[in-house]
């Protein structure tokens, strides 16, 4: 099934079940008022939501309406926790090679992960608002999963059972601020503003054969200002599965229902697939030409992030955003 949230009903939105073709929706408030409420009681709520989804896709759901993507908030307008990994080692290796640094051996056995911004997520059509272009505005096209309650010290096999939803994210980064923050030794803060989730989150079974080994096996398609930017394969070169990423996050603490776990920027060894963030493309250019030629995002630039099935139909709905200045 596919689930989203309308921009109504308060900060946490109103839960809707969305049709497989993303054209119809029906409010699920009789089952759970919000996405977070559904995740809090997932084992009881999910079967009822699934039944409503079957009715909707069969054209039998009472109260169904045509879905307007601009009416959608983030599926989880705010989350208790968002931890973001960096599971694609070609990205890590290239970035470090460009600055003459070696990749520590531990990176191949122990995932990179940081505590990301979760207090609010942008809707899939909301603008990326930044105070200054000088901050080095970048997109990062990633896959995310959402869990129910995960016990502390869960093994990867156990963690896999707690992955309930899959989606996309534009994990916005301000590259000009990152070096100074990381130099302090305490991690990201100002350099990681709010990100945008895809219009809907879907259950893993909705993905069929494209979900194997707790990885999404489809290309991540990205466009900038209407031009092709990349279609890196999500299931290729992913060093750690989502089960391993969730288990890593839960090693010393339980994860609360509604926790979002990110894959990190999708990147392949094969650079002909393009990139999923500007920093990756600029690194490829630096290694090839000695300097980057692709600029970071400017006010007025547009981006589109999408994953389609084998027939070319969008699975999660596209993230479509415009970069805009902060109005003071």
């Amino acid at each position: 099934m596919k689930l989203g949230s309308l921009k109504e009903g308060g900060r946490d939105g109103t839960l809707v079940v969305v049709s497989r073709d993303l054209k119809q929706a029906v409010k699920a408030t009789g089952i759970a008022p919000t996405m977070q409420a559904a995740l809090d009681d997932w084992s009881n709520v999910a079967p009822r939501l699934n039944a409503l989804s079957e009715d909707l896709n069969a054209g039998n759901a009472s109260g169904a309406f045509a879905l307007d993507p601009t009416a959608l908030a983030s599926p989880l307008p705010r989350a208790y926790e968002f931890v973001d990994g960096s599971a694609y080692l070609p990205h890590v290796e290239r970035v470090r090679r460009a600055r003459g640094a070696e990749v520590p051996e531990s990176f191949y056995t122990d995932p990179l992960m940081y505590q990301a911004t979760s207090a609010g997520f942008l809707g899939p059509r909301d603008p990326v608002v930044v105070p200054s272009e000088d901050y080095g505005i970048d997109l990062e096209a990633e896959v995310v999963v959402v869990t129910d309650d995960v016990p502390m010290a869960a093994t990867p096999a156990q963690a896999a059972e707690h992955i309930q939803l899959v989606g996309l994210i534009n994990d916005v980064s301000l590259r000009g601020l990152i070096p100074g923050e990381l130099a302090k030794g305490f991690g990201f803060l100002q350099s990681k503003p709010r990100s945008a989730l895809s219009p809907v989150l879907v259950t893993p079974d909705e993905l069929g054969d494209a979900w194997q080994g707790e990885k999404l096996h489809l290309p991540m398609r990205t466009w900038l200002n209407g031009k092709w930017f990349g279609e890196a394969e999500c299931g290729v070169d992913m060093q750690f599965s989502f089960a391993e990423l969730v288990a890593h996050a839960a090693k010393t603490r339980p994860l609360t229902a509604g926790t979002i776990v990110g894959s990190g920027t999708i990147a392949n060894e094969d650079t002909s697939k393009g990139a999923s963030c500007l920093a990756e493309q600029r690194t490829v250019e630096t290694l090839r030409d000695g300097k980057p030629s692709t600029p970071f995002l400017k006010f007025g630039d547009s981006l589109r992030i999408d994953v389609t099935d084998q027939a070319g139909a969008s699975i999660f709905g596209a993230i479509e955003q415009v970069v805009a200045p902060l109005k003071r």
Side-chain angles (χ1 to χ4, degrees), residues 81 83 110 113 115 150-155 244-256:
E81 195 160 14
V83 291
D110 194 36
M113 188 171 284
Q115 195 85 36
V150 182
M152 184 192 306
T155 65
E244 292 170 309
L245 293 176
V246 172
H248 178 82
K251 181 176 180 178
T252 59
R253 61 187 180 187
L255 303 180
T256 300

Side-chain angles (χ1 to χ4, degrees), residues 16-317:
V16 290
V17 174
V18 178
S19 62
R20 190 162 286 114
D21 62 7
L22 304 175
K23 294 181 179 180
Q24 297 282 313
V26 61
K27 291 183 180 180
T29 47
I31 301 172
T34 66
M35 184 77 79
Q36 184 60 53
L39 289 160
D40 285 339
D41 191 25
W42 187 254
S43 61
N44 292 317
V45 168
R48 298 171 62 195
L49 290 174
N50 193 60
L52 181 56
S53 175
E54 290 179 358
D55 286 344
L56 177 64
N57 283 300
N60 299 324
S62 176
F65 57 90
L67 183 63
D68 176 6
T70 63
L72 289 172
S74 165
L76 262 175
R78 53 181 174 171
Y80 285 111
E81 195 160 14
F82 171 28
V83 291
D84 200 15
S86 188
Y88 292 86
L89 290 188
H91 174 71
V92 177
E93 291 167 344
R94 273 195 287 265
V95 169
R96 285 184 167 255
R97 189 163 72 248
R99 65 171 190 257
E102 295 292 326
V103 178
E105 285 299 319
S106 64
F107 282 25
Y108 296 94
T109 58
D110 194 36
L112 281 170
M113 188 171 284
Y114 72 95
Q115 195 85 36
T117 302
S118 66
F121 290 91
L122 303 174
R125 298 293 187 273
D126 292 347
V128 178
V129 178
V130 181
S132 172
E133 291 179 341
D134 296 336
Y135 290 166
I137 309 164
D138 200 355
L139 76 156
E140 289 192 61
E142 305 182 16
V143 180
V144 295
V145 298
V146 183
T147 72
D148 59 10
D149 289 301
V150 182
M152 184 192 306
T155 65
Q158 292 168 335
E161 299 300 315
H162 295 280
I163 295 172
Q164 304 302 350
L165 296 167
V166 184
L168 310 180
I169 194 168
N170 175 22
D171 180 40
V172 182
S173 291
L174 303 179
R175 301 295 182 184
L177 302 182
I178 287 177
E181 287 203 308
L182 294 185
K184 295 178 181 179
F186 237 42
F188 303 118
L189 182 68
Q190 294 174 339
S191 52
K192 300 300 290 189
R194 290 185 173 182
S195 298
L197 291 172
S198 52
V200 302
L201 300 173
V202 312
T203 49
D205 61 354
E206 187 73 30
L207 298 168
D209 292 341
W211 183 256
Q212 295 183 37
E214 287 72 53
K215 298 178 183 180
L216 179 64
H217 295 270
L218 288 169
M220 176 73 72
R221 304 185 188 279
T222 309
W223 296 262
L224 294 179
N225 296 319
K227 297 181 180 179
W228 179 91
F229 183 69
E231 50 183 298
E233 293 287 345
C234 298
V236 176
D237 300 316
M238 188 178 186
Q239 181 77 6
F240 304 101
S241 71
F242 276 108
E244 292 170 309
L245 293 176
V246 172
H248 178 82
K251 181 176 180 178
T252 59
R253 61 187 180 187
L255 303 180
T256 300
T259 293
I260 298 172
V261 179
S263 65
T265 303
I266 312 301
N268 297 153
E269 285 286 357
D270 182 1
T271 57
S272 71
K273 296 288 187 179
S276 300
C277 72
L278 291 163
E280 169 81 8
Q281 179 62 27
R282 287 167 60 88
T283 298
V284 170
E285 292 165 351
T286 298
L287 292 170
R288 184 188 65 212
D289 307 325
K291 63 180 181 179
S293 55
T294 299
F296 288 117
L297 295 171
K298 302 295 184 183
F299 296 144
D301 284 348
S302 64
L303 62 94
R304 177 184 172 92
I305 297 168
D306 200 6
V307 168
T308 59
D309 62 20
Q310 298 297 336
S314 180
I315 296 173
F316 308 95

